[in-house]
Amino acid sequence: MPQSSDTPVPLASPDVTETEIQAVVAVLQSDRLSLGPRTVSFEQACARRAGRRHGIAVNSGTSGLHLCVRALELAEGDEVITPSFSFVATTNCLLFERVRPVFVDIDPDSYNMDPAAVAAAVTSRTRAILPVEVFGNTAHFDQYEQLARAHGLAMIEDSCEALGGALGGRSAGGFGQCGVFAFYPNKQITTGEGGMIVTDDDVLADRCRSMRNQGRDSAAWLSHARLGYNYRMSEINAAIGEIQMARLDEILAKRRDVAQRYHRCLGDIAEIHLPPMADPAHASWFVYVIRLNDRFSAADRDRVMEHLAHEGVGCNKYFVPIHHQPYVKPWVGDGVHLPHTERVAARTIALPFFNHLTDAQMRRVKVCLQDALRRVTPRVFTG
Ligand SMILES: *Cc1c(COP(=O)(O)O)cnc(C)c1O
């Protein structure tokens, strides 16, 4: 059916087929709704993809990060180096355990933490590095790993935006002690809600497996070896994930195609920077985030977004820096100095991005964006 020119274009849209629906029906017709074969199979698929020996399915990416923090025994008084330019879950998993986040600035060419800034932030209290593949970009992950080794630090890879991505032949989720994926509906693959820890470390894997299931030890159902949580993933969610994982390469190829079409479509707009991506041939695109150039203010960006929203074009600020959130301030004080994070975060706009985005929808996004830019273009006075 042809789309009229004012049909809204959503920011994200999950790609779920009849195969996922049939897999869910099959689970519901079985007598195993939690901790069954679908979960095991989904765990194995994610571990294999990350080049890891263990996969531990949980009910969200945030839960996965929290269990990694607990399993590594990070605690009050410890410092963890992490970006403020990320989704809040990256920091929340530390605050749950009263671990102090130490925010370092980004490299403005990749939007990931600047490795030099990471090195400069190490103190005697630093216990770990918690880097994020921002928007799916794997840049610098080999360097973070080297830094962690050199300083005797743990590394948790927040790969919640990078499932299936790679850097120099190594997979996202394969750097550091452990990696975490997430399956909320706007991610590359979805289970509705869900997350996955991947690791080669047997002890860490056992602890996470136990803590997601009320601290049970593996032997007896009512024997609780430690304080745990109910962070289990249901068989229903795992069945969706299993099919989505089998489709991952097809999904990533579609997303690379949409990103390339966006590059071509928007490449002639002088006012914007296109999104950076390391290793484009193996890229795992999470979102497509453009950035207005430095002549625009944060208020200009907000007005561009208002116009897009008014025209029915989905958009969002990726990200509001984590240190701007009121509940985070007491942990870091007012002295945070992250000039690149501030400059970039004030000017980014996530555009509609999903597997089946059509050329017509993309053209509509471009027309609305150009309209919006004309309305707010800063006056340049010469002579
Ligand atoms: C999505 C995401 C998470 C986890 O989100 P959940 O909603 O808990 O699954 C964590 N970190 C980052 C950077 C994310 O984008």
Side-chain angles (χ1 to χ4, degrees):
M1 197 171 60
Q3 292 202 324
S4 94
S5 67
D6 54 3
T7 308
V9 187
L11 181 60
S13 170
D15 181 346
V16 173
T17 67
E18 190 58 30
T19 317
E20 283 89 333
I21 295 169
Q22 288 314 315
V24 168
V25 171
V27 170
L28 292 174
Q29 288 167 337
S30 78
D31 57 3
R32 228 25 217 274
L33 299 188
S34 189
L35 295 176
R38 302 281 66 82
T39 302
V40 173
S41 164
F42 182 39
E43 288 176 337
Q44 286 168 349
C46 291
R48 208 179 307 122
R49 184 64 189 223
R52 299 285 211 181
R53 291 179 34 237
H54 304 282
I56 301 104
V58 288
N59 60 355
S60 75
T62 308
S63 302
L65 291 167
H66 184 203
L67 292 189
C68 291
V69 168
R70 288 287 316 260
L72 289 168
E73 301 183 308
L74 304 177
E76 185 154 13
D78 293 339
E79 291 181 356
V80 173
I81 296 170
T82 193
S84 176
F85 192 66
S86 179
F87 180 59
V88 290
T90 315
T91 282
N92 287 352
C93 69
L94 301 172
L95 301 187
F96 295 159
E97 300 301 324
R98 306 190 61 76
V99 172
R100 181 183 296 277
V102 174
F103 294 126
V104 305
D105 211 354
I106 54 170
D107 155 24
D109 295 328
S110 66
Y111 301 162
N112 287 348
M113 282 195 294
D114 177 355
V118 172
V122 176
T123 72
S124 58
R125 290 175 300 280
T126 310
R127 291 280 317 279
I129 306 178
L130 176 35
V132 179
E133 277 125 346
V134 171
F135 311 147
N137 193 347
T138 49
H140 316 309
F141 270 70
D142 46 351
Q143 287 165 279
Y144 305 142
E145 195 180 58
Q146 280 162 18
L147 278 167
R149 280 214 191 99
H151 292 276
L153 306 172
M155 176 167 148
I156 302 171
E157 185 185 355
D158 181 344
S159 299
C160 290
E161 304 193 350
L163 176 69
L167 180 71
R170 291 179 62 193
S171 300
F175 296 85
Q177 270 73 37
C178 47
V180 178
F181 300 123
F183 310 117
Y184 186 73
N186 71 339
K187 308 281 182 182
Q188 286 88 333
I189 73 165
T190 187
T191 59
E193 294 281 1
M196 183 73 66
I197 300 158
V198 289
T199 184
D200 285 323
D201 183 323
D202 297 342
V203 173
L204 196 138
D206 281 349
R207 286 180 183 171
C208 289
R209 232 175 256 293
S210 166
M211 283 190 289
R212 79 162 169 193
N213 189 17
Q214 309 282 18
R216 288 186 165 93
D217 63 28
S218 46
W221 188 247
L222 285 178
S223 162
H224 300 264
R226 55 175 67 76
L227 176 66
Y229 307 86
N230 178 358
Y231 284 172
R232 295 182 302 257
M233 174 182 278
S234 84
E235 284 283 281
I236 302 162
N237 301 84
I240 303 171
E242 199 184 354
I243 308 293
Q244 291 258 298
M245 262 318 269
R247 296 181 51 221
L248 180 63
D249 285 320
E250 164 214 326
I251 288 171
L252 294 183
K254 283 185 190 165
R255 296 175 88 83
R256 280 194 290 269
D257 177 62
V258 175
Q260 261 157 32
R261 281 158 48 216
Y262 254 136
H263 291 341
R264 284 197 297 272
C265 177
L266 305 181
D268 60 348
I269 303 182
E271 294 93 336
I272 66 169
H273 300 277
L274 299 180
M277 184 57 77
D279 205 348
H282 303 100
S284 174
W285 287 88
F286 166 48
V287 281
Y288 193 88
V289 178
I290 58 158
R291 171 161 61 100
L292 305 188
N293 71 32
D294 289 346
R295 285 163 54 218
F296 292 87
S297 66
D300 292 334
R301 186 273 308 267
D302 292 352
R303 283 175 60 210
V304 169
M305 284 184 49
E306 265 167 43
H307 180 75
L308 291 175
H310 180 261
E311 294 296 313
V313 172
C315 56
N316 211 341
K317 298 176 189 177
Y318 271 84
F319 300 102
V320 176
I322 296 174
H323 73 278
H324 288 194
Q325 308 294 345
Y327 70 92
V328 178
K329 288 215 168 126
W331 286 92
V332 291
D334 289 327
V336 185
H337 182 64
L338 305 171
H340 293 305
T341 298
E342 306 283 1
R343 181 168 63 84
V344 168
R347 293 173 178 83
T348 47
I349 304 174
L351 297 178
F353 188 73
F354 44 90
N355 299 355
H356 44 276
L357 188 79
T358 65
D359 285 332
Q361 287 174 312
M362 200 174 279
R363 273 196 301 277
R364 193 159 123 65
V365 171
K366 181 179 190 180
V367 167
C368 293
L369 178 63
Q370 284 178 309
D371 271 355
L373 289 170
R374 263 193 294 277
R375 283 159 189 251
V376 303
T377 294
R379 307 268 177 281
V380 180
F381 297 100
T382 48

